[in-house]
Amino acid sequence: MAKGLQGFLWTMLLLFCAIQELGSWAMHTAVEGPGLGEPGDPALLASGRVKRGWVWNQFFVVEEYTGTEPLYVGKIHSDSDEGDGSIKYTISGEGAGTIFLIDEITGDIHATERLDREQKTFYTLRAQARDRQTDQLLEPESEFIIKVQDINDSEPRFLEGPYIGSVAELSPIGTSVMQVMASDADDPTYGSSARVVYSVLEGEQHFTVDSKTGVIRTAVADLDRETQDRYEVVIRATDMAGQLGGLSGSTTVTIVVTDVNDNPPRFPQKMYQFSIVETAPVGTAIGRVKAEDSDVGENTDMTYQVKDEEGVEMFKVTTDSNTQEAVITVQKPLDYESKKVHTVVVEALNKFVDPRFVDLGTFRDQTIVRVSVLDVDEPPEFRPPSNLMEVQEDAHVGSVVGVVTALDPDTANHPVRYAIDRSTDAERIFDIDAKTGAIVTGKVLDRETAGWHNITVLAMEADNHSQVSRASLRIRILDVNDNPPELATPYEAAVCEDAKPGQLIQTISVVDRDEPQSGHRFYFTLAPEATNNHHFSLLDIQDNTAAVHTQRVGFNRQEQDVYLLPILVVDSGPPALSSTGTLTIRVCGCDSNGAIQSCNSTAYVVSAALSPGALIALLVCVLILVVLVLLILTLKRHHKSHLTSEDDEDMRDNVIKYNDEGGGEQDTEAYDMSALRSLYDFSEIKAGDGGGGPGEGGPGRNPASELHALPQWVQSPDLDFSVFRDYICRKVEQADEDLSVPPYDSFQTYAFEGSDSPVPSLSSINTWSSSSEQDFSYLGGWGPRFRQLAALYAGRRGEEDSEES
């Protein structure tokens, strides 16, 4: 049926196009004069005999033509065409020669390809009429347009998908969810091909769509997220304004129902049970409970609280923000013996309440939590918890200071034993009775040494010492008057020689290590041995101080420069204790204003004999003498150090080391043999050889013969090494005495190989026989390395033979 409908539409469209072509699609040309001129010909324009102009109507071609023959578009024609074929029609421009073909003789234009208006709506071409013989333009070139006429061949499309919208649950009917829009590629200016209307294919029970705007709205008011939180709605868009034969397209819209706080919290259980030991410290978590809420997000945020008075006192409820659970913790210490079970009412309520849904009910719920306290073996408890005791400092050893009491809180009520933590009473000043808890003194007390003692008392079960309790005990030592008063400092006073009677010399105060509860009260008087004193008087000021005044006119420090005044100080007791202190009073010389100048009689005599200039000169002389002594000592020490450095000459500089093989026995420039020869005296060895004549050992002997005269190193009893031995011993002693000397000296031992080696020596030093007894001709056969040595000994052998002859 769809194919028949499409054929009918094609037929109607072609008929409409043919009628239009017959009525208005023709080309007309107005010609005046007998001939055609070239376009732009000046003669033509100047004569005014010919006037031509092209008048074109638009050509139309329907899109999506599916016929087998080329589609006729239109015809171009010239009035000068007499039908004899002398005029040739041509076209150029978009699609000319490919999409559009023209009959050169008749001017008919055909479309050879299937056109699509959605891809290109019109084509611009140019028409020419030429003389077939001369190929000259008979008419000016004219531009015309072939417009592609639309048909309804494009269905509406939803280009912005996928579509996802949201709406709050329990929204009223008609609440806008979202808008969808479909696009139609057909020509909106031609017919109804692009006029789109919308409708709901699936989901019309819950949602509607506006047919013109595409706005989706709710169709019901009871959308419940907890029942269904997502809907898939299919929206259809139909062109041709929804008429029969229109094309359509569809899309799926996902609508998410968002949550509102329309559900109160609910505890899954009406009662929870937990247990905890009675020794659990404050803050220990007992358990967790949670109220369920069907909502999501912040609508599930809750707060918990304890509703009953007993629970508020003993327990605390907090909310875990991550899990929304109620955490029940201990707020006060538990006691199994006092109460074994506690009942707590816990209430849960939403943190955020939507006022629109208050009429749905209270957004809170309650549950009961039973907490069972478990009994454990607890350590003894001190009763009462007083931690202060007092004792007199003169209490005898073994006196009772006080008694501590501890009881076992358990039902078994085990006996308790007591002890003192010796880390707090290392000197064992106090002891405790293990059974009664009586604390007694263990040593003599002294408040002035330690006025307070802090000890720790331990209480434990008699049959289980691991159950221990500790109590801190403060013991104050009460004062008794056992220390006499003393002068605050060793007072020293000064009096001028010209002092007048009644002049104040010194104010005296005292100290007492005791601390009587009523305060100190001291009494001052001169000691009995100073009752006959007529020089000074003592006045008690009644404020625990006393004043010393002069009692006569003038003093002479040359007669007596120091006075010792004994003062007796007595406290108020009980019992009253006293002590005697001495005030030292010096007689001094003063100026006219009473300022002290000097208080020493010796200095007074010296100052009278020597002037200040003489004293300065004396000090300068002493200083010069000290400088001279230091200079002499420095020079002497430097000279001694120089002599020591000469004696301790470093003998390493005299060691000569040869590690170069050299160029042979004739190479005397490599090292100096005199350094070695000087160490030994070879005269005795030469004498022992029997060579005493001028021919053997005299100065006229040649160098070749001297090589045979070198002695072999054999230790001789005639050699004297005492010099070396003494030197070495002296250096060893110096090194032993002076620890700062580095170990520079060393010994090296050279062992003699012996004379039994099967390999003969080539050295002339080891040769004791005369040169005439040896034959060195065999050296010539030892190769090029010994060629020079062979030539040397061969030449020497010839000289020796000539000398013998």
Side-chain angles (χ1 to χ4, degrees), residues 726-763:
D726 295 341
Y727 173 76
I728 292 173
C729 291
R730 182 164 57 86
K731 296 296 289 182
V732 170
E733 291 177 359
Q734 292 179 358
D736 292 340
E737 294 175 358
D738 191 356
L739 299 179
S740 62
V741 174
Y744 287 151
D745 300 318
S746 62
F747 292 98
Q748 297 200 17
T749 304
Y750 299 91
F752 179 59
E753 185 179 347
S755 58
D756 294 335
S757 175
V759 181
S761 176
L762 299 179
S763 174

Side-chain angles (χ1 to χ4, degrees), residues 129-145:
R130 296 178 179 272
D131 187 282
R132 187 175 296 277
Q133 300 297 327
T134 62
D135 200 30
Q136 292 182 350
L137 283 174
L138 301 179
E139 299 289 347
E141 185 179 69
S142 178
E143 185 178 273
F144 65 96
I145 294 174

Side-chain angles (χ1 to χ4, degrees), residues 309-422:
E309 295 181 0
E310 178 191 356
V312 170
E313 182 181 359
M314 298 298 299
F315 303 98
K316 180 181 179 181
V317 176
T318 58
T319 304
D320 189 331
S321 59
N322 296 324
T323 62
Q324 296 300 315
E325 293 177 317
V327 182
I328 306 172
T329 57
V330 178
Q331 186 162 289
K332 289 183 65 176
L334 303 173
D335 186 11
Y336 172 82
E337 287 72 25
S338 300
K339 192 169 185 178
K340 299 178 176 59
V341 178
H342 296 268
T343 302
V344 184
V345 178
V346 178
E347 183 181 68
L349 61 157
N350 278 130
K351 186 182 294 186
F352 306 104
V353 178
D354 194 332
R356 296 177 299 172
F357 308 107
V358 174
D359 55 346
L360 297 179
T362 58
F363 283 78
R364 62 183 63 202
D365 193 19
Q366 292 182 351
T367 188
I368 297 175
V369 178
R370 289 172 55 87
V371 181
S372 300
V373 182
L374 303 179
D375 186 27
V376 295
D377 189 7
E378 299 176 90
E381 295 180 356
F382 286 92
R383 299 176 184 176
S386 175
N387 61 350
L388 177 62
M389 293 184 180
E390 295 179 345
V391 61
Q392 296 283 343
E393 67 173 323
D394 59 348
H396 298 289
V397 174
S399 300
V400 177
V401 178
V403 179
V404 294
T405 304
L407 299 176
D408 185 6
D410 298 324
T411 4
N413 195 14
H414 297 95
V416 178
R417 296 293 179 262
Y418 303 93
I420 294 178
D421 187 354
R422 289 303 173 187

Side-chain angles (χ1 to χ4, degrees), residues 12-169:
M12 294 297 295
L13 185 61
L14 291 175
L15 181 61
F16 176 75
C17 293
I19 294 173
Q20 266 194 331
E21 181 183 2
L22 292 175
S24 62
W25 294 356
M27 180 186 72
H28 301 278
T29 306
V31 181
E32 293 184 4
L36 296 175
E38 293 290 336
D41 189 354
L44 255 166
L45 297 175
S47 62
R49 291 180 295 106
V50 177
K51 181 179 180 182
R52 295 187 179 91
W54 292 92
V55 179
W56 295 95
N57 290 326
Q58 282 187 341
F59 290 100
F60 291 88
V61 59
V62 67
E63 67 170 337
E64 303 294 343
Y65 173 70
T66 57
T68 58
E69 298 295 331
L71 178 63
Y72 179 77
V73 177
K75 181 184 184 68
I76 59 175
H77 184 72
S78 174
D79 291 342
S80 61
D81 187 0
E82 298 178 356
D84 56 359
S86 60
I87 297 177
K88 180 176 68 175
Y89 298 98
T90 60
I91 57 175
S92 61
E94 296 178 335
T98 56
I99 300 176
F100 303 103
L101 299 178
I102 188 172
D103 190 322
E104 295 181 353
I105 298 175
T106 63
D108 294 333
I109 301 175
H110 291 81
T112 61
E113 294 184 7
R114 184 176 177 179
L115 303 180
D116 188 359
R117 192 203 65 82
E118 285 72 31
Q119 293 183 358
K120 192 172 181 63
T121 57
F122 64 90
Y123 295 84
T124 302
L125 296 95
R126 291 175 297 278
Q128 302 95 21
R130 296 178 179 272
D131 187 282
R132 187 175 296 277
Q133 300 297 327
T134 62
D135 200 30
Q136 292 182 350
L137 283 174
L138 301 179
E139 299 289 347
E141 185 179 69
S142 178
E143 185 178 273
F144 65 96
I145 294 174
I146 299 178
K147 188 175 182 181
V148 182
Q149 191 170 7
D150 183 49
I151 64 172
N152 188 19
D153 61 340
S154 298
E155 72 277 3
R157 296 178 181 273
F158 293 91
L159 304 179
E160 299 179 1
Y163 293 93
I164 299 177
S166 62
V167 63
E169 62 176 332

Side-chain angles (χ1 to χ4, degrees), residues 653-669:
D653 297 337
N654 296 333
V655 178
I656 302 174
K657 181 179 180 181
Y658 295 98
N659 54 6
D660 189 4
E661 190 173 299
E665 295 185 0
Q666 289 183 350
D667 185 7
T668 60
E669 296 180 356

Side-chain angles (χ1 to χ4, degrees), residues 26 237 449:
T449 303

